[in-house]
Amino acid sequence: MASTLGTSSIAVLPSRYLSSPSSKPSIHTLSLSSGYGRKFYGGIGIHGIKGRSHFSVASVATEVNSVEQAQNIASKESQRPVYPFAAIVGQDEMKLCLLLNVIDPKIGGVMIMGDRGTGKSTTVRSLVDLLPEIKVVAGDPYNSDPEDPEFMGVEVRERVLKGEELSVVLSKINMVDLPLGATEDRVCGTIDIEKALTEGVKAFEPGLLAKANRGILYVDEVNLLDDHLVDVLLDSAASGWNTVEREGISISHPARFILIGSGNPEEGELRPQLLDRFGMHAQVGTVRDAELRVKIVEERARFDKNPKEFRDSYKAEQEKLEEQISSARRVLSSVQIDRDLKVKISRVCAELNVDGLRGDIVTNRAAKALAALKGRDKVSAEDVATVIPNCLRHRLRKDPLESIDSGLLVTEKFYEVFS
């Protein structure tokens, strides 16, 4: 099953996926030359260890990945129905943080903390329908970007340097769930032992981090995640690459993803190192208004009774939101922020004793993304006021004697500096 680099992976796509009107793959033609010199598999060149016999190494995901990409698109309608994002009542802070991260993934994700039963997981998973399409290299198990070297696997980068033409396919941004009970092998990827025994090759099977590259990695109840998995996430989030060292070989691949976590603070605190990796922090509270609670209950009952009819009733709003996100992503690079606003943002961070510079960087990015979402090409002080509590509240040093919410502290400091 393992394929070599010289074989065009797009050739394994069944014709029905290439011509299906529902899949819209937008495939560009190419010609790939067959084999060249040294071979690359699974995202990195494999070197034999001196004085030791070794198997050939292959990536089991490479050959089937292009088929999976097409199947994911073709089976969209047959998947379990997802609650529409536009139908979620209230929780505006959480929804805004999620939308800003879709517009600019470099914001760095969002941590959602709140009471049980407040729709945290439902809201995150409803984001799937709004995720835009991106260009990926066909047949690549790591969703490599054909244009940006920063998001290319080593194998794809070598092909570009050799002047080969890449086949490109449009694919929806992935959302990958990381279960609490996942093993390190499943998260990082591992050697396919069965393939090694039956076919005599060391085949690397990519894990969840490979699938989440250029997509979203969602961890529900992230504060209950085992420490060894937290270490893996910290390493990947810091470097943007995942390195697997197993059975005498080293395999690296890009692992840049939007990290989204949710949890209940009553069940335990999050490690400060991991908390700092989240770009934004959203607080979710239980709705207290009786009329609003009734509306939420009725909407949920409608969805459970007939999911398709319920989703159709929000189709126009969903499409409008999708277009708004796509438009914001297009104009994001042209959005400007005055130097005066940048200085004031940094003053707020400095006077709040925020460690490091992540708070400054994330606040600037989030303010620009919000301006783009509103259709403007310039950031205003109002944009900064909206996003700065979410960008800084989780970066403040904890004071056990402080009774005021950290978000309110940030807001007070903002008005003090910006007035």
Side-chain angles (χ1 to χ4, degrees):
M1 181 187 288
S3 66
T4 61
L5 180 64
T7 305
S8 169
S9 54
I10 200 69
V12 300
L13 273 170
S15 59
R16 66 179 180 278
Y17 293 131
L18 297 178
S19 58
S20 169
S22 64
S23 60
K24 304 178 198 172
S26 300
I27 297 172
H28 304 277
T29 57
L30 76 154
S31 59
L32 285 181
S33 58
S34 59
Y36 60 86
R38 179 182 169 208
K39 294 180 181 177
F40 283 77
Y41 301 97
I44 199 163
I46 306 300
H47 303 275
I49 300 172
K50 189 175 181 181
R52 188 187 301 177
S53 61
H54 58 279
F55 296 107
S56 59
V57 183
S59 167
V60 297
T62 303
E63 185 177 353
V64 299
N65 188 260
S66 54
V67 176
E68 289 176 352
Q69 287 170 347
Q71 286 174 338
N72 287 340
I73 299 169
S75 64
K76 183 180 177 183
E77 292 302 319
S78 64
Q79 291 174 354
R80 185 175 61 178
V82 178
Y83 198 85
F85 189 87
I88 292 168
V89 179
Q91 313 298 13
D92 294 331
E93 181 181 319
M94 170 172 57
K95 291 194 288 187
L96 179 63
C97 289
L98 291 171
L99 291 178
L100 295 183
N101 272 275
V102 174
I103 293 167
D104 185 1
K106 290 185 178 179
I107 287 173
V110 56
M111 177 68 210
I112 304 165
M113 295 296 272
D115 304 328
R116 293 178 291 272
T118 48
K120 299 185 295 293
S121 301
T122 301
T123 306
V124 173
R125 293 193 171 101
S126 70
L127 202 61
V128 169
D129 288 337
L130 303 179
L131 296 179
E133 291 185 330
I134 54 173
K135 291 180 180 179
V136 299
V137 176
D140 183 73
Y142 313 113
N143 301 318
S144 292
D145 190 329
E147 297 165 357
D148 187 354
E150 187 181 347
F151 293 95
M152 283 183 187
V154 176
E155 175 185 316
V156 172
R157 197 175 301 180
E158 288 288 330
R159 290 164 65 181
V160 171
L161 290 175
K162 289 189 174 287
E164 291 191 23
E165 214 175 330
L166 300 173
S167 57
V168 179
V169 62
L170 287 177
S171 175
K172 275 260 187 184
I173 289 177
N174 272 337
M175 178 177 284
V176 178
D177 273 282
L178 176 60
L180 292 179
T183 63
E184 190 174 333
D185 284 358
R186 184 68 191 99
V187 175
C188 296
T190 186
I191 303 300
D192 189 334
I193 300 300
E194 182 182 354
K195 200 169 185 66
L197 294 175
T198 57
E199 299 182 23
V201 295
K202 278 184 182 174
F204 175 65
E205 187 173 357
L208 296 179
L209 292 181
K211 191 177 178 184
N213 185 43
R214 299 182 66 209
I216 294 173
L217 185 67
Y218 175 49
V219 190
D220 196 9
E221 306 294 350
V222 65
N223 47 338
L224 303 180
L225 197 64
D226 287 342
D227 280 349
H228 68 98
L229 291 182
V230 171
D231 293 337
V232 168
L233 288 183
L234 283 173
D235 187 42
S236 295
S239 65
W241 282 76
N242 175 43
T243 301
V244 181
E245 303 277 357
R246 298 185 192 283
E247 285 79 35
I249 63 169
S250 173
I251 293 178
S252 294
H253 64 79
R256 296 181 183 273
F257 44 79
I258 302 170
L259 185 60
I260 298 179
S262 62
N264 182 354
E266 294 177 2
E267 295 170 356
E269 291 295 323
L270 202 60
R271 278 170 56 178
Q273 303 97 312
L274 184 58
L275 189 59
D276 189 54
R277 290 290 169 188
F278 289 97
M280 304 181 79
H281 186 286
Q283 291 274 42
V284 180
T286 304
V287 176
R288 301 298 176 191
D289 181 82
E291 290 292 329
L292 210 54
R293 291 171 77 111
V294 170
K295 183 179 179 183
I296 294 170
V297 171
E298 289 175 346
E299 291 285 86
R300 185 71 214 190
R302 278 181 58 210
F303 175 75
D304 290 340
K305 184 178 179 181
N306 192 333
K308 188 176 186 306
E309 183 182 304
F310 183 80
R311 284 170 57 83
D312 287 344
S313 68
Y314 280 94
K315 189 175 181 180
E317 289 181 54
Q318 289 279 99
E319 288 175 353
K320 184 181 177 183
L321 199 49
E322 276 186 69
E323 178 53 39
Q324 200 175 353
I325 292 170
S326 299
S327 175
R329 284 171 65 95
R330 285 194 298 269
V331 303
L332 180 64
S333 58
S334 63
V335 176
Q336 301 297 318
I337 180 169
D338 290 339
R339 181 172 176 78
D340 179 53
L341 285 180
K342 291 180 182 177
V343 171
K344 286 181 177 178
I345 289 170
S346 292
R347 271 188 61 195
V348 172
C349 294
E351 293 183 20
L352 286 171
N353 294 319
V354 174
D355 291 332
L357 293 172
R358 283 202 185 101
D360 307 54
I361 294 169
V362 170
T363 305
N364 278 270
R365 287 190 180 279
K368 290 171 73 173
L370 180 58
L373 183 63
K374 291 179 176 179
R376 290 188 275 102
D377 61 358
K378 197 168 185 179
V379 174
S380 67
E382 184 187 346
D383 297 329
V384 179
T386 303
V387 301
I388 199 168
N390 304 113
C391 298
L392 300 184
R393 65 149 58 101
H394 58 300
R395 304 180 195 278
L396 303 188
R397 294 181 179 177
K398 300 290 183 187
D399 183 353
L401 301 177
E402 185 66 71
S403 59
I404 189 170
D405 178 66
S406 54
L408 292 176
L409 283 175
V410 175
T411 304
E412 286 178 3
K413 184 59 68 177
F414 167 82
Y415 285 112
E416 181 185 316
V417 170
F418 275 72
S419 62

